[in-house]
Amino acid sequence: MGPVGVRFELFVDDVERSVAFYAAVLGLQPAVGYDPQGYVPVSAGRVRIGLQRHTALPADHHFRPGHFTGPRGVGVEIVIEVDDVAAAFARARDAAVPHGGQIEPLAARPWGQTDFRLIDPDGYYIRVTSTG
């Protein structure tokens, strides 16, 4: 019995803004009939990200309000593999900034992969990379 996958949740300021960002930039779609005031999973293929307003967390949750005063995800790089990194970059390049994010250039890396980096509207750092 071992791990069979990974998914993660991001605690954000504005769920609707995050849903729009991930749909436009990476093609991740929300569950049908989602409630923007609650938990919203967005997904494509085997990638699934849960989005939830950090202000909706219960008082006894690990992430207290003070955790959200600085940059989000400090020390974590979220890595998403794609089949066609050039096509993913073309899509993201046109959509990231208008949807409140940032994008870094597509680059070949010394370890043999090509990737680009995104910063979502809440400051989470995402590397989109080739699978090879």
Side-chain angles (χ1 to χ4, degrees):
M1 181 191 260
V4 296
V6 65
R7 64 182 192 205
F8 52 92
E9 298 182 5
L10 301 177
F11 301 108
V12 300
D13 291 334
D14 181 332
V15 170
E16 288 182 283
R17 178 182 68 180
S18 294
V19 167
F21 176 84
Y22 285 101
V25 174
L26 294 173
L28 303 178
Q29 297 299 312
V32 176
Y34 74 91
D35 174 8
Q37 298 306 309
Y39 173 83
V40 179
V42 294
S43 62
R46 296 189 63 180
V47 175
R48 182 175 170 154
I49 302 172
L51 302 168
Q52 183 173 351
R53 282 182 307 111
H54 67 84
T55 56
L57 294 172
D60 62 346
H61 195 279
H62 170 75
F63 293 118
R64 306 285 193 276
H67 285 108
F68 297 99
T69 59
R72 305 288 168 82
V74 172
V76 175
E77 181 175 282
I78 299 165
V79 181
I80 298 175
E81 294 180 327
V82 295
D83 290 331
D84 186 342
V85 72
F89 177 73
R91 176 186 190 139
R93 179 190 58 225
D94 296 336
V97 173
H99 285 88
Q102 299 172 42
I103 188 166
E104 297 176 2
L106 184 68
R109 303 296 176 182
W111 53 86
Q113 291 178 296
T114 300
D115 66 37
F116 64 95
R117 315 301 169 93
L118 294 165
I119 302 164
D120 87 350
D122 289 282
Y124 291 105
Y125 191 63
I126 302 150
R127 176 167 44 109
V128 180
T129 187
S130 59
T131 57

